[in-house]
Amino acid sequence: MAPKVVIAGGGYGGIAAARALDDVADVTLVEPRETFVHNVAALRAAVDPAWAEKIFIPYDGLLSRGRVVRDVATEVEPGHVRLGSGARLDADYIVLATGATSPFPSRMDVLDRGDALERLREVRDALGRAGRVLLLGAGAIGLEFAGEIAAALPATSVTVVDPSPAVASGRFPEEFGVEVAKQLDALGVTVLLGTRLTAPPEVPPGAVRPFTVTTDDGEVLAADLWFPCYGGEVSSGYLREALLAARQPDGRLAVTEHLRVAGQERVFAIGDLTAVPEMKMARAAGAHGELVAANIRALIEGGELTAYEPFADGIALTLGPAGGATWAPEWGGLLGAEQTSQLKATFLLERFEETLGARTTA
């Protein structure tokens, strides 16, 4: 009988692990969403209706032997996973891939595809009615959203505010920030760095209603619509007993070099949930999933485990369909608008369609 593997979470890491183990184990992927959501392209979908349909990919073709259960893990202990439905899944191996949240529309805040499409339609409608948009946060989410809005709606005034003195919190070399600033300026986006608001907007996020806010130096900013582009948290409140020892104050899990949960032999964690010291990005989650699958296969077949090597800091930041900046040390450093827009022209959609069995290869 094939060993049982339960994977909690069907994001980038979860689908990579599930697909890679399907031929050697009895895989159950537990995921509360109706479909896989290609979050990398979510901000494009928030302004472009042609992309809204594309980011939702069914799980139907992911596994040929295993199964996808639409449910949520509520209690996890070594050896079994308890679901929200009350069902108990016994497991020889467990992979925790429940990820993290971030503000809508960078990630969907509803579980059904139809509801998410309606939420995206509401955002596009709101953007179309708002003459002035305020985005709080100049990290990747805020900058990409600003670029998407400005490119799609050039008559709309877009302002980005962040207390950090540099874009993306200064994580990348100065030349990257200079390139981003240059392109945003060309798009007409105003970026106020080193700036705090004395109080958040009184209007709910996503609601079209004129308001003003005041910066800490007394400047009054007027807008009709705003979105938070910062924050988020990991989901690890389902851990029980021995697994709790690995939980860090921020909710992330300490893992070994093999991505085992600290203190565990057969429980692994991947993606945003881990305390691995690297940027939390889709490519890292996918690499985690593939490595964990290889290590579980090694445990099943008696092979050697592989250690994970974290990615160096890098980013491919889109600023609308024709713009963007990339920092990739492995590719020589800075890439500008043309190279970045080519690199992310499809947001690698075809790769995930293939993984999920929604695209056939020649």
Side-chain angles (χ1 to χ4, degrees):
M1 181 179 295
K4 296 179 179 180
V5 178
V6 175
I7 301 171
Y12 294 103
I15 63 170
R19 182 82 167 190
L21 287 167
D22 193 36
D23 68 326
V24 73
D26 178 4
V27 175
T28 299
L29 178 69
V30 179
E31 168 55 48
R33 296 189 183 279
E34 182 180 0
T35 69
F36 175 82
V37 183
H38 188 29
N39 291 311
V40 172
L43 294 173
R44 179 67 52 81
V47 302
D48 184 351
W51 267 94
E53 294 279 350
K54 295 178 183 179
I55 68 171
F56 301 98
I57 309 172
Y59 286 109
D60 300 355
L62 175 64
L63 302 173
S64 58
R65 297 178 56 206
R67 59 178 180 151
V68 178
V69 175
R70 191 178 179 194
D71 210 326
V72 62
T74 56
E75 296 182 8
V76 178
E77 300 177 25
H80 75 267
V81 175
R82 182 80 64 181
L83 306 182
S85 62
R88 171 181 161 137
L89 301 176
D90 292 328
D92 297 297
Y93 302 91
I94 295 173
V95 180
L96 304 176
T98 47
T101 62
S102 66
F104 177 83
S106 64
R107 298 197 190 191
M108 299 303 106
D109 55 1
V110 290
L111 300 179
D112 291 348
R113 174 181 175 276
D115 292 341
L117 285 169
E118 177 60 20
R119 291 279 284 134
L120 289 170
R121 187 200 64 76
E122 290 171 355
V123 169
R124 292 194 299 274
D125 175 71
L127 289 169
R129 292 187 290 118
R132 302 162 299 179
V133 178
L134 175 65
L135 304 178
L136 300 184
I141 294 172
L143 297 174
E144 287 204 354
F145 202 13
E148 294 293 348
I149 296 168
L153 301 164
T156 299
S157 168
V158 181
T159 300
V160 183
V161 174
D162 196 297
S164 172
V167 297
S169 300
R171 188 157 189 160
F172 303 101
E174 183 179 358
E175 59 186 305
F176 173 80
V178 169
E179 178 65 23
V180 170
K182 180 182 73 174
Q183 291 189 41
L184 288 174
D185 184 64
L187 287 168
V189 175
T190 299
V191 181
L192 302 178
L193 298 174
T195 302
R196 296 179 184 274
L197 300 184
T198 57
E202 295 182 354
V203 175
V208 181
R209 190 185 312 163
F211 65 90
T212 61
V213 289
T214 305
T215 69
D216 53 4
D217 60 3
E219 182 180 1
V220 176
L221 305 176
D224 310 302
L225 175 67
W226 78 283
F227 294 93
C229 299
Y230 62 91
E233 58 185 19
V234 299
S235 172
S236 58
Y238 50 77
L239 300 177
R240 297 292 182 271
E241 294 190 355
L243 298 178
L244 285 171
R247 192 180 185 194
Q248 308 299 292
D250 64 358
R252 289 192 164 89
L253 303 184
V255 293
T256 69
E257 62 179 353
H258 304 122
L259 300 184
R260 287 164 158 157
V261 173
Q264 299 299 314
E265 294 293 315
R266 294 190 171 196
V267 182
F268 295 79
I270 60 179
D272 291 358
L273 184 62
T274 71
V276 173
E278 66 184 351
M279 294 186 67
K280 305 304 181 185
M281 305 182 80
R283 68 169 181 167
H288 291 189
E290 292 171 1
L291 181 125
V292 162
N295 283 341
I296 291 176
R297 182 182 293 271
L299 290 171
I300 292 171
E301 298 176 346
E304 293 292 323
L305 272 62
T306 303
Y308 180 69
E309 292 290 338
F311 284 100
D313 281 0
I315 190 171
L317 185 78
T318 58
L319 297 172
T326 297
W327 179 257
E330 67 271 30
W331 295 338
L334 182 67
L335 306 179
E338 182 177 358
Q339 292 166 299
T340 300
S341 61
Q342 291 175 355
L343 180 68
K344 296 190 75 173
T346 66
F347 294 97
L348 300 179
L349 177 67
E350 63 282 354
R351 175 184 299 179
F352 300 102
E353 288 179 331
E354 183 178 336
T355 298
L356 288 150
R359 173 187 291 260
T360 56
T361 55

